[in-house]
């Protein structure tokens, strides 16, 4: 499962890059014999502000309650995929939604992370 992008961002990009990363990882894991699959189970339930320029606290507040589960996940062991981790707010909100729906979150995988700014 992967952290969803907003509809506007998907239209602007013309694709779901994070979903593509998750699907590529699944193909690789299956080639190695793992019984895994990518599930598009999350979506943004409301518009959120652009995260660029927001502090960690502002990002968390912006995303609070913004992601919902749209597929059955109760009892499933889940690895959450995201493209870039900045503050972790997106991963945290997606994890909250999955746990609330009964999924067992066993980890997260990301492509990159931004360095933390030090005052």
């Amino acid at each position: 499962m992967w952290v969803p992008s907003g509809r506007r961002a998907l239209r602007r990009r013309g694709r779901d890059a994070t979903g593509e990363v998750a699907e590529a990882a699944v193909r690789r894991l299956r080639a190695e014999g793992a019984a895994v699959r990518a599930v598009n189970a999350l979506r943004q339930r409301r518009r959120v502000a652009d995260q660029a320029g927001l502090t960690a606290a502002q990002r968390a507040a912006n995303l609070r309650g913004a992601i919902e589960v749209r597929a059955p996940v109760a009892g499933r062991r889940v690895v959450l995929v995201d493209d870039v981790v900045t503050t972790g707010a997106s991963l945290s909100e997606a994890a909250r939604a999955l746990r609330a729906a009964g999924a067992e979150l066993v980890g997260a995988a990301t492509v990159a992370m931004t360095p933390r700014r030090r005052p």
Side-chain angles (χ1 to χ4, degrees):
M1 289 174 207
W2 57 93
V3 175
S5 296
R7 281 176 254 172
R8 285 184 308 170
L10 290 173
R11 277 194 307 272
R12 187 176 62 248
R13 290 184 206 125
R15 59 187 214 159
D16 183 354
T18 308
E20 291 171 12
V21 168
E23 289 166 0
V26 164
R27 282 191 302 275
R28 177 68 187 260
L29 289 166
R30 281 185 173 174
E32 298 294 324
V36 297
R37 66 184 181 135
V39 178
N40 187 4
L42 300 173
R43 71 175 166 207
Q44 286 190 1
R45 61 188 298 173
R46 63 174 171 77
R47 277 185 142 175
V48 296
D50 186 348
Q51 300 274 84
L54 298 181
T55 66
Q58 290 168 328
R59 285 172 182 243
N62 183 42
L63 290 172
R64 192 167 295 118
I67 296 177
E68 67 182 356
V69 176
R70 65 179 186 176
V73 297
R76 289 191 181 195
R77 298 185 65 190
V78 174
V79 174
L80 190 54
V81 177
D82 200 0
D83 55 355
V84 178
V85 177
T86 304
T87 64
S90 297
L91 279 172
S92 292
E93 173 56 18
R96 180 213 52 82
L98 287 166
R99 286 184 182 118
E104 178 188 350
L105 187 62
V106 297
T110 64
V111 174
M113 67 176 278
T114 60
R116 288 218 166 190
R117 293 185 201 165
R118 303 277 183 214

